[in-house]
Amino acid sequence: MFLLLPLPVLARTLLTTLIALLTLVGIMTRPFRWNEALIALAGAALLLLLGLISPLAALQTLLGDWNVFLFFLGMMALSAFADQAGLFDWLAIAAARLARRRARLLLLNVFLLGSLISMVLSNDATALILTPVVYTLVTRLRLPVIPFLFACTFIADTASFLLPVSNPINILVLSRFQLDLWTFVRLLWLPALAVIAVNIGIFFWLYRREVRGGFDPKRLPAAREAIKEPGYFRYCCLVLGVVAVAYVVASASGFPLSCVALAGALLLLIGAVRWHQFRPRALASHISWSLFGFIAGMFVIVQAVEETGLTRLFGELLWHLSGGSSLGAVLVGTLGAALGTNLINNVPMAVVLSASLQALHGQISPTTQLAFVVATIFGCDLGPNLTTVGSLATVLWLLILRQRRLDVSGLDYFKVGILVTPLMLLVGAILIWLLLLA
């Protein structure tokens, strides 16, 4: 039974805020190595038990964000089936052969391949699947692994706003604001290309000694070795091509992207059964089930905070800091989102910022609100490149490295991130502002 306390408004606000802050601190510190999902769900459950949010309001919040949950499921299933078909191994081998024995060109190809995977299958797929493939490839070629592995995690987030499907954060924000595909592409495509170029350029300079040599192409396996079942491989490529086109059409028409992702996953499941490639355990291992609990818990917590009016106050603070101008909105939104992602992870930060901007609907000009929305997407997508705690993609990348006995500390990562991320954020923010004026 839920304990509905007749608390005064101030007491309810203070208690809700305290629980929300404790939850965020728990997510950052992970006491007793608790999973982030467990902490988020515990915070949400406490709010429900104390009557600080009603079960009906919590249920309506979760049902209202069904597109986000189903997109996560469909995206991870698509990536899993593509991996089982050998697509990522085949692409990595092709990228190595196109490098023509040059390590520097191979690094460039890893960036381009990561951009392609992030654009179509999301940044999490790039970190989760491309990282072990690249590790195996460069180890076999006897090249230094660190430059190539860092390229995998950085490009996962750097290229994650090429399309709405490139990062689940995009779906999360867009599900709360009516931002059509043309506006998304017009304001974010050029900044995405620019920051990708900046990322590549700095990495070439940073790792100029490590990647100045070459490699022996005889160490490369034949591309056909990556293909386990030729028929299923061709079918998988065909389905993913159709899904990529369907993503664009659905984004342009406002059709739920989760339906496209789930339909594509269903087609690949049918093909896997047809060619005897369906492995339930492998599929289940590719899906981060705890992520759903984490997002659900954060949705409920932010909804409870929103009911206190604090998100509105936070939105008004952002608006005042921006000076009411589009340039101020882009700079404040980008900086706030980028800093927030590295404190509390980009999922809760995107939820908080979205709720804050929704609370200001009708109070600020459409241009200023658009600037804040685009800056939220940009800052939450790219900002996590600064530290190891900013996004799920980076966390997955670290886990994969530890499984291979490679230890990259938070300080090691920050030393690279601080050289790359601030410049990318500045270049991208200025371009977004200029495109808003066009």
Side-chain angles (χ1 to χ4, degrees), residues 41-84:
L41 288 172
L46 187 57
L47 290 170
L48 284 166
L49 288 172
L50 294 177
L52 298 172
I53 183 173
S54 69
L56 179 60
L59 181 61
Q60 288 176 337
T61 298
L62 297 180
L63 292 178
D65 288 300
W66 63 270
N67 188 40
V68 176
F69 290 102
L70 294 183
F71 177 76
F72 268 103
L73 180 62
M75 173 270 298
M76 286 187 280
L78 280 172
S79 302
F81 284 122
D83 185 39
Q84 290 179 15

Side-chain angles (χ1 to χ4, degrees), residues 388-407:
T388 57
V389 299
S391 73
L392 173 66
T394 310
V395 174
L396 292 172
W397 177 79
L398 279 175
L399 292 174
I400 293 169
L401 264 57
R402 287 168 186 163
Q403 291 171 357
R404 286 151 181 80
R405 298 181 180 179
L406 287 174
D407 187 21

Side-chain angles (χ1 to χ4, degrees), residues 21-39:
L21 289 175
L22 288 175
T23 303
L24 292 176
V25 170
I27 291 170
M28 287 186 286
T29 60
R30 292 184 60 201
F32 310 109
R33 295 187 177 182
W34 288 346
N35 184 279
E36 292 90 347
L38 178 62
I39 298 170

Side-chain angles (χ1 to χ4, degrees), residues 122-132 152-153 156 393-394 396-397 400:
S122 89
N123 62 328
D124 296 327
T126 300
L128 181 63
I129 297 175
L130 184 63
T131 300
C152 291
T153 183
T394 310
L396 292 172
W397 177 79
I400 293 169

